[in-house]
Amino acid sequence: MFDLILQATYSGLLSGGSYALIALGLALVFGTMRVINLAHGEFVLLAAYIAYTVESQMDWNPLLALPISVVVVCITAAIVYLLVTRLDKNREMNSLILTFGLGVILTNLVLFIWKADIHSTSVGWFQEAVVLGPLYSMRSELLFFITSVVMVAILWVWLDKSWYGRAVRAVSSNRDAAKLMGINPHVTELISFLIAGILASFSGVALYCASVIQPALGNALTIKAFIITILAGIGSIPGVLIGAVLLGVSEALTITLLSSALQELTGMLLLLFVLLALPNGLFGRAGRRG
Amino acid sequence: MLKLESINVRFGGLAALQDVSLLVDSEDMVGLVGPNGAGKTTLFNVISGLVRPTGGRVLFNNIDVLRKPLYARARMGIGRTFQIPQPMHELTVRENLLVAQRFGTGSVNQSKIDEILDFVRLSDKSDRNAATELALTELKALEVAKALAIQPKLLLLDEVLSGLETAGKRQFMQMLSDLHWRFDVGILIIEHDIETISSVCKRVCVLNFGKLIADGTADAVFKDPEVIKSYTGESGA
Amino acid sequence: MEFAKKLAQTAAILSLAAFASTAVADEFVVGSNLPLTGPQARWGQEVAEGFKLATEAFNRGSAKHKIKLIVTDDEGNPAKASAAAEKMISDGAVALYGGFPTPAVVGAANVATKAGLVYMSSGYGGTKADFKNFFQINAISGYQKAIAGTMLDMGAKSVSLIHNTKEGSAYVATAVAKALTDKGVKVTMHPYDSAIADFKPIINKIKLQDRPELISMVGYESEYIGMLRAAKVLKPEVKAIVCAYGVATPKMMADFPAELQNVYGTTMLSYPAEFATKDGKEFAEAFKKTFNKDPDYLAQFGYVSGQVLFEAIARAANAGTIAKGGIAAEMRKTDRETITGRVTFDETGFNPHFVLRMGQIQGNKIPLIWPKEAATGKMNFPGLPW
Amino acid sequence: MKIRFLLPVLAVVYLAIPYLWGGNNYVMSLLVAAFIIAGVALAWALLANLGGMVSFGHSAFFGVGAYLSALLCINYRLPVLAGILMGGIGAAVASIAMLPALRLRGPYFALAVLAYANIFKILAMEFKGITEGAAGVTNIPALPTVMGFDFSSKLGTYLVIVTIVLLFTGSYHLIRVSHYGAALKAMHDSEDATRVVGVNSTLLKAMMLFVSAFMTGVVGAVNAHYINFIDPDYAFDLGWTLLPMVAVVFGGYRTLMGPLVGAVGIFMLDQLVFKALIGTGHQIMLGAVLAVMVLFSPDGLVPLIGDKWKRIRRAQA
């Protein structure tokens, strides 16, 4: 039993890491603009399909797809940003509807271009086992996890120390005051969208290397990222990692201790608990959501 | 009618109100003065239910209302206005009063509404959109009218005169002095301007840094050295 | 007198009906509602290809009767399937054929039943259908027979069964579990929701707690890959991995050669297709020529369903009974060998002879290894992907 | 709803459409499907417009209504119409579980309700003893034949669902013009101001949630008796939330007729035009419609047409 719990915790930790990388971009945009980008999962999916194309068409290692997917996804992110800023009325709600619609368009574009078949990398190296004592994982999962932790750290330090980071935080806490301080909120918001695009590219390529992709996946990714953002609370970058790991571990433990059919239920109950009992998420800045 | 017993409110480390006790009777018209940030509006928020105090009791007609939500206190007869007028959006002036009357008293009485509209001189504006089509004086009048529509026993008026030019102010002051007897309501009024307050209220309370430093007739209060100090201190700052 | 009058009237009506049926005898409309878009699109398109091929084959082979095929996309949605069925019936369809998933089949079959038409399907996931003229050449029981049969022949005493909680998979898994338990095999079930991301906790539970001889998987393509990769990392000490539909296909084998080595999966065909019968060879060639790819088992279902249905229509047309429910009667009389095996229909409309075969991915081939009489290769047992 | 609008609508819906297409089962079945979505769209818009809450979880009410009515009619031989009513009541009761979420706003509320919908679906899957689990409920009794008229026919079902949707529209209208409607309208942008005059905003919001859940449950139940089959995936499909949302955005959620016009319009466009144009992936057009509407006419199509109409009238006068 102990072995089981140990492995489940480890697996949960690793999948939590992958959730975190997927959620990070969504959380950043939400923190900056209070806009939930429901097309974020499609950004990730797009990067994953670019990795597939690079591998299958050019016979390159899928990791080499990163520069291309960064360019493509960032352009897409910039377009989404420009459309979102066109909304003048009731932006919080209308941006949900707009980005949902854009997500539907992207999903169907992926379906047009790449068809409905499932894909995953054929580079066997990624699927080789890494055994650490009693703990088992795939190389790709560890890679995914480490990338995620590094990204969280970089973003955290960057937001904390850099001038842009300060501007982002200023805009997110008080847009008008930031303007008075000479910050152009449009630039900082665009930058956070572009960073979300870069993060989505990393997670997309990692996703392609670690698991199986299909066009319908985008939606599921967005919802997962959305849940983690809420668990973390607005504006908490390390909270994203911790919230994601919490979700991953509790899912894995549910499978081990209860039934595998109940994993989804655990995630949803966790979300409801945080929403209803912890008004600022696990680590969020104070700020009323109710 | 209203009895505050050692009210304390803290926002984080800041003590917004300290041990404030106060009695207001149904025949009273009490002025509440004090420099900016003294805690006047916070006190109103405590009475009407927008802020829950960290300590103390609020009794209204001998009932402890601290656990009662905003709307329930309104139904008991505590009406209030906001310093920055908050009309109910998307409704006309008349609808604003209708909603207040219907939910504040439980029934609708059109002639009463006409009477209030007439009193605050909004009769000819009754079909205007309250949020977008009124001037500031009219918005302030609507604030008072809304509060009257719930048939209050106690009326909390938060700087209804501020921001008005002289003519509007004079007209409003006339209205305020009539309010008391026309609607048979106890009044607690926040006002910045000492002259105004002493011309309308016989009794004045002074708040400074969250503490009630004086409570008495207007003449006596404004001769109190501590009060004078608090005001000059403010102007010197 | 009265009797003679009645007789004359009946004769007149009969001759009219016969005239009517000969007048349209050259062409019969058959409608097909399938999910050509939406989440079930891949299955719908495969089946549609097989059905189309059967139409062409029939029209080539029959001088007297022709089939005109209308295919409508129902997106797998019952309300749209119902509308599609109405549309095709109003366009003169004499019988309908359709789709996935079960709710969409029910939506269209209800309409057909009300109109008194035959409804044929390849995707009804239940064990018994409650429509009067419902027919299906494949049945859940076929999967159960192949999966449970293979595992029993392997002599397994304990099995861990991982399955998706969705309707079709849950049905198959429950049936397999029952068949195995009846023979004294210890079965542990591990249902999972489609939202699952990592199968390692499940596989590890199997490895450390169940310690079975065999693992069986019933789910969808991407999930099989996830399960197999997790198993490859944890390496539970089992002898074989036996899967249901969607694994033993040429496409999956080409895309995931490393993951699927030695894995078993239900199928109808070996790969490269080795058809023993003339029928089968014709089908495989024609399919390759028309669609430029190898047929999979869903295409076969579509093809055989078409064959059986069109022949019944032709027989009913010859007998002049199309307007009087003759197609259903002829369908019930069906008894023929097809490329999916013998087809007859029992009173519930399912084919009691339907059995899937079990294939095993060996190198770049998928020989059939179960049942013995259909086997085209030797079983690698014990055999695992790692 | 003013009489001069009501009469033509009634005439079209009850006379013109049955007269023109009553015998055409294809058109009727498309209309039934469209009005089912319209019913949910109306309930969704009521919650969004009056309650100020955007829900991602209406599939929960749809599914509960469908399951409750189906199971009551099968296991307890309840008449279908009573079952449908119970389906609505059941959905309203189920919405009690969501009351804690009323404290949340905007995306937080939307996500919380989505979580509830997922939980309901998993429960339907797991409580096999009651719901038959993944296998689904078969043989759900059809709408009855009353005085010789078969309401399970396409025309019959059309009349039933249209009547229900119009009754709901009427109730929505009555709520909207009542004092409750005024208070709810005021709450959106000035909640404190509304509460200090005695409005119990939480209670009002809860009532709107009940009403919306009831309506959605009734429509879900009608659909179950129309299709005669439900399983958790179908009855709790997220599509039962998303498609009505698209319809509402398309038609406009501030107006009474917006959800109806939007649902019927978008469904027919999708089925008859988009599908014919692109086939695979025609949902892309739905996404595009959503994006374009939100960007260029966030209040939807009905107000847009209304404005145009007024301008033309003014120009003529």
Side-chain angles (χ1 to χ4, degrees):
Chain A
M1 200 62 206
F2 180 69
D3 280 5
L4 269 180
I5 293 178
L6 207 63
Q7 173 65 35
T9 312
Y10 181 60
S11 289
L13 178 79
L14 293 187
S15 41
S18 64
Y19 293 169
L21 190 53
I22 293 166
L24 210 47
L26 187 116
L28 180 70
V29 168
F30 185 50
T32 324
M33 283 181 81
R34 294 294 186 280
V35 164
I36 297 263
N37 174 17
L38 289 182
H40 186 74
E42 275 76 15
F43 288 3
V44 175
L45 196 67
L46 190 62
Y49 270 95
I50 291 169
Y52 161 69
T53 310
V54 164
E55 185 189 275
S56 59
Q57 299 297 313
M58 301 191 244
D59 216 9
W60 289 358
N61 186 301
L63 294 184
L64 297 174
L66 256 179
I68 308 173
S69 54
V70 164
V71 171
V72 176
V73 175
C74 282
I75 291 174
T76 318
I79 295 172
V80 172
Y81 169 74
L82 290 177
L83 291 176
V84 168
T85 51
R86 282 197 55 121
L87 297 171
D88 40 4
K89 263 199 280 181
N90 196 6
R91 195 157 87 168
E92 186 179 45
M93 249 28 260
N94 281 340
S95 66
L96 272 187
I97 295 166
L98 174 66
T99 54
F100 174 73
L102 296 174
V104 171
I105 295 176
L106 282 175
T107 297
N108 283 285
L109 277 180
V110 167
L111 190 68
F112 262 129
I113 302 172
W114 286 286
K115 304 289 174 282
D117 296 317
I118 63 167
H119 296 292
S120 182
T121 182
S122 55
V123 179
W125 185 87
F126 288 112
Q127 274 82 50
E128 294 295 320
V130 180
V131 184
L132 302 166
L135 304 175
Y136 294 80
S137 68
M138 288 193 296
R139 280 179 182 160
S140 54
E141 285 177 299
L142 268 181
L143 204 63
F144 206 151
F145 181 78
I146 293 167
T147 315
S148 180
V149 173
V150 170
M151 286 294 181
V152 167
I154 292 177
L155 196 66
W156 192 14
V157 172
W158 182 77
L159 280 182
D160 206 41
K161 303 275 183 251
S162 78
W163 192 86
Y164 270 126
R166 273 166 220 190
V168 163
R169 276 181 293 142
V171 172
S172 87
S173 56
N174 190 333
R175 207 165 187 271
D176 293 327
K179 267 192 218 165
L180 293 176
M181 287 154 58
I183 297 168
N184 181 350
H186 290 291
V187 174
T188 47
E189 285 168 355
L190 177 63
I191 286 176
S192 62
F193 248 91
L194 291 179
I195 293 170
I198 295 172
L199 291 166
S201 307
F202 273 87
S203 22
V205 175
L207 192 72
Y208 175 68
C209 295
S211 70
V212 187
I213 58 167
Q214 61 191 72
L217 203 60
N219 225 342
L221 292 177
T222 307
I223 291 180
K224 211 128 248 164
F226 194 176
I227 289 173
I228 290 163
T229 305
I230 304 280
L231 289 183
I234 297 175
S236 171
I237 296 300
V240 171
L241 183 61
I242 299 169
V245 166
L246 187 69
L247 183 66
V249 170
S250 48
E251 282 179 354
L253 285 178
T254 308
I255 294 176
T256 305
L257 301 174
L258 300 167
S259 155
S260 38
L262 297 179
Q263 104 156 14
E264 180 83 347
L265 191 65
T266 311
M268 292 300 159
L269 290 175
L270 181 68
L271 168 71
L272 276 186
F273 172 75
V274 170
L275 269 176
L276 300 175
L278 307 171
N280 300 314
L282 294 169
F283 306 96
R285 284 197 298 266
R288 229 158 55 123
R289 69 163 56 134
Chain B
M1 174 176 55
L2 176 75
K3 189 177 178 194
L4 303 179
E5 293 179 358
S6 56
I7 299 291
N8 279 286
V9 173
R10 301 187 74 83
F11 295 125
L14 182 86
L17 288 175
Q18 289 180 49
D19 275 327
V20 176
S21 296
L22 187 69
L23 272 169
V24 181
D25 241 337
S26 51
E27 291 90 40
D28 275 348
M29 174 138 178
V30 183
L32 187 59
V33 297
N36 280 332
K40 293 167 293 184
T41 299
T42 305
L43 190 67
F44 271 21
N45 286 346
V46 167
I47 300 169
S48 59
L50 275 165
V51 166
R52 177 163 290 187
T54 34
R57 293 211 300 167
V58 179
L59 296 170
F60 188 68
N61 288 333
N62 293 322
I63 301 165
D64 187 348
V65 295
L66 263 194
R67 301 228 151 261
K68 291 196 186 295
L70 217 55
Y71 65 87
R73 296 190 204 185
R75 288 178 195 175
M76 292 173 74
I78 303 179
R80 76 164 287 176
T81 68
F82 289 96
Q83 184 181 350
I84 299 162
Q86 293 196 15
M88 291 188 254
H89 286 236
E90 302 196 31
L91 302 186
T92 64
V93 170
R94 176 177 286 276
E95 282 172 333
N96 261 272
L97 298 202
L98 263 173
V99 166
Q101 192 183 47
R102 168 66 183 75
F103 289 89
T105 70
S107 61
V108 171
N109 178 349
Q110 293 284 359
S111 63
K112 186 87 187 167
I113 285 177
D114 289 332
E115 186 193 332
I116 296 172
L117 281 173
D118 190 46
F119 177 73
V120 301
R121 303 181 195 196
L122 283 175
S123 295
D124 53 336
K125 305 276 163 55
S126 70
D127 290 330
R128 297 269 182 97
N129 181 309
T132 56
E133 296 175 357
L134 291 186
L136 182 64
T137 321
E138 292 159 347
L139 279 171
K140 293 261 177 184
L142 176 62
E143 279 295 297
V144 177
K146 267 192 311 175
L148 285 175
I150 69 165
Q151 291 182 16
K153 300 191 184 78
L154 173 69
L155 196 53
L156 308 172
L157 301 175
D158 193 349
E159 301 210 17
V160 280
L161 299 176
S162 72
L164 302 181
E165 25 37 293
T166 329
K169 218 173 221 175
R170 201 170 305 127
Q171 184 189 346
F172 237 91
M173 279 172 56
Q174 181 58 45
M175 202 172 84
L176 288 184
S177 46
D178 291 350
L179 247 179
H180 192 44
W181 57 266
R182 266 291 283 277
F183 293 94
D184 188 22
V185 59
I187 294 172
L188 189 56
I189 177 167
I190 294 180
E191 192 44 67
H192 203 68
D193 185 32
I194 296 177
E195 254 175 76
T196 318
I197 213 85
S198 30
S199 70
V200 181
C201 303
K202 286 196 200 83
R203 180 179 155 205
V204 173
C205 300
V206 185
L207 269 178
N208 192 24
F209 290 115
K211 283 184 192 151
L212 194 65
I213 56 169
D215 181 350
T217 61
D219 290 349
V221 163
F222 291 122
K223 281 182 192 131
D224 186 326
E226 203 181 344
V227 174
I228 295 168
K229 206 178 101 196
S230 76
Y231 265 80
T232 49
E234 188 213 7
S235 59
Chain C
M1 270 313 277
E2 200 60 29
F3 177 71
K5 198 171 157 192
K6 246 186 191 153
L7 198 68
Q9 272 175 352
T10 317
I13 291 167
L14 274 179
S15 62
L16 251 176
F19 177 75
S21 64
T22 50
V24 293
D26 47 352
E27 188 172 81
F28 295 101
V29 178
V30 171
S32 174
N33 63 291
L34 285 165
L36 302 177
T37 62
Q40 286 87 14
R42 238 150 7 110
W43 312 334
Q45 283 173 355
E46 294 279 0
V47 171
E49 284 166 356
F51 200 67
K52 244 179 240 164
L53 202 65
T55 316
E56 286 163 19
F58 178 85
N59 286 344
R60 238 181 293 122
S62 151
K64 203 165 151 201
H65 310 297
K66 298 284 178 210
I67 297 292
K68 184 182 168 218
L69 180 61
I70 330 170
V71 183
T72 313
D73 176 19
D74 64 19
E75 301 164 52
N77 173 304
K80 288 171 187 168
S82 170
E86 295 289 4
K87 172 101 174 76
M88 296 185 297
I89 291 170
S90 71
D91 288 345
V94 295
L96 298 181
Y97 171 71
F100 303 89
T102 307
V105 175
V106 175
N110 268 331
V111 171
T113 306
K114 264 199 182 164
L117 298 187
V118 163
Y119 192 84
M120 216 184 162
S121 148
S122 291
Y124 188 76
T127 43
K128 65 179 209 313
D130 303 280
F131 310 106
K132 230 169 65 209
N133 300 318
F134 181 87
F135 300 95
Q136 184 163 308
I137 58 154
N138 56 326
I140 290 291
S141 59
Y143 294 96
Q144 169 232 312
K145 283 178 200 162
I147 299 169
T150 307
M151 291 198 285
L152 287 171
D153 282 1
M154 287 171 175
K157 289 280 164 290
S158 57
V159 172
S160 288
L161 215 168
I162 320 175
H163 73 89
N164 193 310
T165 50
K166 274 198 203 303
E167 158 228 14
S169 304
Y171 253 138
V172 172
T174 323
V176 169
K178 187 170 180 305
L180 292 176
T181 320
D182 286 351
K183 298 274 183 199
V185 179
K186 182 172 164 274
V187 181
T188 324
M189 305 280 272
H190 297 275
Y192 65 86
D193 186 274
S194 304
I196 196 166
D198 183 9
F199 285 94
K200 274 198 275 341
I202 298 185
I203 303 284
N204 206 36
K205 227 172 153 180
I206 291 171
K207 176 186 168 183
L208 297 176
Q209 277 189 338
D210 302 1
R211 300 169 174 282
E213 289 172 69
L214 303 173
I215 294 179
S216 180
M217 300 172 175
V218 186
Y220 301 99
E221 286 87 343
S222 58
E223 296 156 7
Y224 289 127
I225 300 303
M227 288 186 251
L228 288 166
R229 282 181 174 173
K232 222 174 150 176
V233 167
L234 289 164
K235 298 197 175 53
E237 286 163 30
V238 295
K239 290 183 181 146
I241 295 175
V242 182
C243 298
Y245 33 72
V247 164
T249 68
K251 179 138 187 39
M252 282 290 276
M253 188 182 71
D255 286 348
F256 301 97
E259 285 83 356
L260 294 177
Q261 230 17 260
N262 285 326
V263 172
Y264 300 81
T266 57
T267 181
M268 295 304 303
L269 283 176
S270 60
Y271 177 81
E274 291 170 34
F275 282 103
T277 58
K278 180 172 152 285
D279 247 9
K281 284 192 182 105
E282 274 176 17
F283 165 72
E285 273 166 35
F287 194 90
K288 186 118 200 189
K289 217 172 92 189
T290 317
F291 302 109
N292 196 26
K293 62 179 178 185
D294 290 306
D296 82 354
Y297 68 101
L298 285 174
Q300 274 182 295
F301 291 164
Y303 183 75
V304 172
S305 301
Q307 272 185 324
V308 169
L309 179 61
F310 303 151
E311 282 166 12
I313 292 174
R315 290 200 301 272
N318 287 338
T321 56
I322 293 244
K324 294 174 294 191
I327 300 176
E330 292 298 332
M331 284 293 280
R332 284 195 186 89
K333 286 186 209 152
T334 299
D335 185 352
R336 79 182 297 252
E337 279 300 325
T338 71
I339 55 169
T340 61
R342 188 174 164 203
V343 173
T344 67
F345 296 105
D346 63 19
E347 67 281 1
T348 62
F350 286 98
N351 173 12
H353 306 286
F354 177 75
V355 181
L356 272 150
R357 284 126 198 198
M358 188 58 76
Q360 184 180 30
I361 291 159
Q362 300 177 354
N364 54 1
K365 291 201 170 78
I366 313 176
L368 300 178
I369 50 90
W370 190 95
K372 282 202 184 65
E373 55 276 17
T376 64
K378 222 178 108 296
M379 181 194 296
N380 285 348
F381 184 81
L384 293 166
W386 54 86
Chain D
M1 215 181 318
K2 286 164 199 131
I3 274 298
R4 71 193 165 93
F5 283 126
L6 186 62
L7 277 179
V9 168
L10 289 181
V12 167
V13 161
Y14 286 109
L15 297 174
I17 290 178
Y19 176 76
L20 287 172
W21 294 297
N24 186 334
N25 282 337
Y26 171 54
V27 174
M28 279 296 128
S29 52
L30 283 181
L31 283 173
V32 169
F35 270 98
I36 293 223
I37 291 165
V40 183
L42 188 81
W44 191 93
L46 181 142
L47 190 63
N49 191 18
L50 294 182
M53 290 169 276
V54 168
S55 150
F56 284 176
H58 264 56
S59 57
F61 308 133
F62 192 89
V64 168
Y67 262 96
L68 195 66
S69 181
L71 292 174
L72 285 176
C73 292
I74 291 172
N75 297 334
Y76 298 96
R77 309 249 159 250
L78 213 63
V80 170
L81 287 177
I84 289 173
L85 189 66
M86 286 307 295
I89 294 171
V93 171
S95 74
I96 291 176
M98 297 187 188
L99 288 183
L102 285 181
R103 299 193 288 127
L104 306 171
R105 271 183 213 169
Y108 296 102
F109 176 81
L111 189 66
V113 183
L114 177 68
Y116 277 108
N118 261 321
I119 290 170
F120 281 21
K121 179 180 180 172
I122 296 167
L123 293 182
M125 199 79 103
E126 291 301 310
F127 282 100
K128 296 186 182 71
I130 306 167
T131 63
E132 308 287 332
V137 183
T138 49
N139 285 326
I140 300 171
L143 291 167
T145 299
V146 178
M147 294 191 293
F149 186 79
D150 180 7
F151 280 100
S152 73
S153 69
K154 300 285 168 178
L155 177 62
T157 313
Y158 164 81
L159 290 174
V160 169
I161 187 69
V162 151
T163 306
I164 287 175
V165 168
L166 286 181
L167 282 177
F168 285 172
T169 312
S171 326
Y172 181 7
H173 172 71
L174 290 179
I175 295 175
R176 209 163 70 146
V177 298
S178 74
H179 300 298
Y180 293 97
L184 284 160
K185 224 195 304 181
M187 256 159 47
H188 290 181
D189 295 312
S190 37
E191 182 154 351
D192 279 346
T194 318
R195 290 169 71 206
V196 295
V197 297
V199 176
N200 182 348
S201 55
T202 317
L203 181 70
L204 280 193
K205 280 185 181 177
M207 280 163 56
M208 290 309 107
L209 185 66
F210 292 152
V211 172
S212 182
F214 173 82
M215 291 178 170
T216 313
V218 165
V219 176
V222 171
N223 187 59
H225 293 285
Y226 170 59
I227 300 293
N228 308 114
F229 176 89
I230 46 173
D231 64 14
D233 270 335
Y234 174 59
F236 290 96
D237 188 357
L238 192 56
W240 293 120
T241 308
L242 297 182
L243 208 55
M245 252 174 84
V246 177
V248 171
V249 172
F250 185 57
Y253 72 102
R254 294 268 182 220
T255 57
L256 213 51
M257 293 316 274
L260 305 191
V261 173
V264 177
I266 201 78
F267 187 85
M268 292 299 175
L269 259 181
D270 183 46
Q271 288 303 299
L272 302 177
V273 182
F274 297 163
K275 214 154 121 180
L277 284 179
I278 16 183
T280 306
H282 61 95
Q283 285 88 350
I284 205 169
M285 297 300 289
L286 291 184
V289 164
L290 260 189
V292 169
M293 289 308 290
V294 168
L295 283 172
F296 297 105
S297 176
D299 287 336
L301 199 61
V302 168
L304 190 72
I305 295 170
D307 283 353
K308 282 262 155 64
W309 178 242
K310 267 182 213 152
R311 232 171 286 153
I312 293 169
R313 288 272 291 260
R314 218 172 287 155
Q316 283 169 346

